[in-house]
Amino acid sequence: MEAVSLPAALELAASGGAGLSPEKRAALGASLLLLQRDYRFERVWFWGCIQGVSGAYYITEGLGPDRAAPRSRLYSLNCVEWSLLPPVTAEMVAQAEQLKGRFQGDPSFEYAYPEINAQDAERVFEDGKEHMIKEEARLVATIEQIDRAVGIIPRGAFVKTPLGSVQENRNFEGLSLTEAKKLTSYFHFTEPVNLKNKTLLEKADLDPSTDFLDSLEHDIPQGSWAVQLEKGGTVVVLRSLLWLGLTFYHVPMTKQYGYIYFGTGEKNIDLPFML
């Protein structure tokens, strides 16, 4: 969610039990502005918080002109001092998927490489030493996993230009209340997968400038999103049951929307058996 509208956004998304103390809010209000100036980001989004055993990671994302370009991610342990996370790689994500349990809250903490099959053993232990995975690498990989799986935007909030870049739609005035209650009105803000498999007939009614992402209607497993009306029916809230702690909000007929994560960074792998 936008750093400039953080206080109001937290109030809209706080019904899920997540939130920040007044001290943390005040610290973020000052430090995020300095962060945007020092790193020369066009926009700064407060992504959320991953709670560890002995501490919490507060996460922000810096964006440039192309909103679909890779984002710069930073973390802080106190909402004042920020450290830049390394760019995520496919190997980091693959390693993070094998790690189980809570984060420790220490970026320098090292995990022993989880059990692997015999085919990978030679590659991993080729130097004769057991490889370790730093928690910092697990952190950025987990953020990437959550963004890919449940980082969402309303339909029409962004447009794709003829040159291929993605920018905010200045004409977006929000979804109607009827549309805001439908999963088809929300898109995953990541590289589309299902869209590429649609036939020409299915794409005939799509607007290539706005419908260039995958909608939530075909998410697996079915039922992984909970849609609710709150604040007297004035706010639509979507909560992910796959990544517990992810809350998206949208005020219909306005430009107010965003998502925030407050959780342990653990995927709910039991969801298919709970539905």
Side-chain angles (χ1 to χ4, degrees):
M1 55 180 63
E2 286 280 358
V4 293
S5 58
L6 185 59
L10 284 172
E11 291 297 328
L12 294 174
S15 55
L20 294 170
S21 66
E23 293 80 6
K24 289 290 189 292
R25 291 192 188 192
L28 282 173
S31 65
L32 292 184
L33 293 176
L34 296 175
L35 190 70
Q36 183 174 358
R37 182 200 66 184
D38 294 343
Y39 284 88
R40 299 182 180 179
F41 293 136
E42 191 167 298
R43 291 288 179 88
V44 171
W45 284 357
F46 179 66
W47 184 87
C49 171
I50 292 181
Q51 185 67 47
V53 175
S54 59
Y57 295 105
Y58 299 92
I59 313 297
T60 61
E61 294 184 330
L63 292 85
D66 185 358
R67 297 296 190 260
R71 307 165 196 172
S72 298
R73 297 184 172 107
L74 302 97
Y75 74 91
S76 175
L77 301 176
N78 55 13
C79 294
V80 177
E81 300 172 339
W82 297 90
S83 301
L84 191 64
L85 285 166
V88 68
T89 63
E91 185 180 3
M92 285 182 184
V93 174
Q95 291 175 344
E97 288 177 342
Q98 298 182 59
L99 295 175
K100 308 297 180 184
R102 295 277 302 276
F103 280 80
Q104 297 300 310
D106 178 8
S108 62
F109 181 83
E110 294 184 336
Y111 297 89
Y113 203 96
E115 292 185 7
I116 57 177
N117 57 46
Q119 294 179 349
D120 294 335
E122 184 178 352
R123 176 180 58 83
V124 175
F125 303 117
E126 57 185 1
D127 58 0
K129 296 180 180 179
E130 184 177 357
H131 284 204
M132 308 295 285
I133 306 170
K134 281 195 173 184
E135 182 154 282
E136 188 179 66
R138 183 191 180 189
L139 178 64
V140 70
T142 301
I143 296 169
E144 178 71 12
Q145 285 181 279
I146 295 174
D147 271 341
R148 286 183 190 175
V150 291
I152 61 176
I153 58 171
R155 180 180 184 271
F158 289 81
V159 294
K160 191 171 186 178
T161 67
L163 297 177
S165 63
V166 177
Q167 299 177 356
E168 292 179 27
N169 185 3
R170 296 182 180 180
N171 297 320
F172 178 70
E173 296 296 338
L175 302 171
S176 66
L177 181 58
T178 303
E179 291 296 319
K181 292 186 287 185
K182 301 178 182 177
L183 287 180
T184 54
S185 298
Y186 301 96
F187 292 154
H188 289 282
F189 198 32
T190 185
E191 187 70 22
V193 177
N194 297 328
L195 185 65
K196 297 177 181 179
N197 299 325
K198 288 189 176 183
T199 65
L200 292 176
L201 186 60
E202 292 174 319
K203 294 180 179 179
D205 296 329
L206 301 181
D207 184 342
S209 65
T210 56
D211 300 319
F212 58 94
L213 299 169
D214 289 334
S215 70
L216 272 58
E217 62 177 328
H218 300 302
D219 279 15
I220 299 174
Q222 289 286 336
S224 61
W225 289 97
V227 183
Q228 297 175 310
L229 287 176
E230 299 183 356
K231 306 287 185 182
T234 60
V235 181
V236 178
V237 175
L238 279 71
R239 293 190 176 87
S240 173
L241 304 180
L242 186 62
W243 288 94
L244 297 173
L246 190 288
T247 303
F248 172 90
Y249 73 92
H250 176 48
V251 182
M253 305 306 294
T254 74
K255 295 183 178 182
Q256 298 182 62
Y257 68 87
Y259 68 85
I260 193 166
Y261 179 83
F262 283 96
T264 60
E266 295 174 287
K267 187 176 182 180
N268 183 16
I269 59 176
D270 296 326
L271 179 61
F273 306 100
M274 300 168 63
L275 297 175

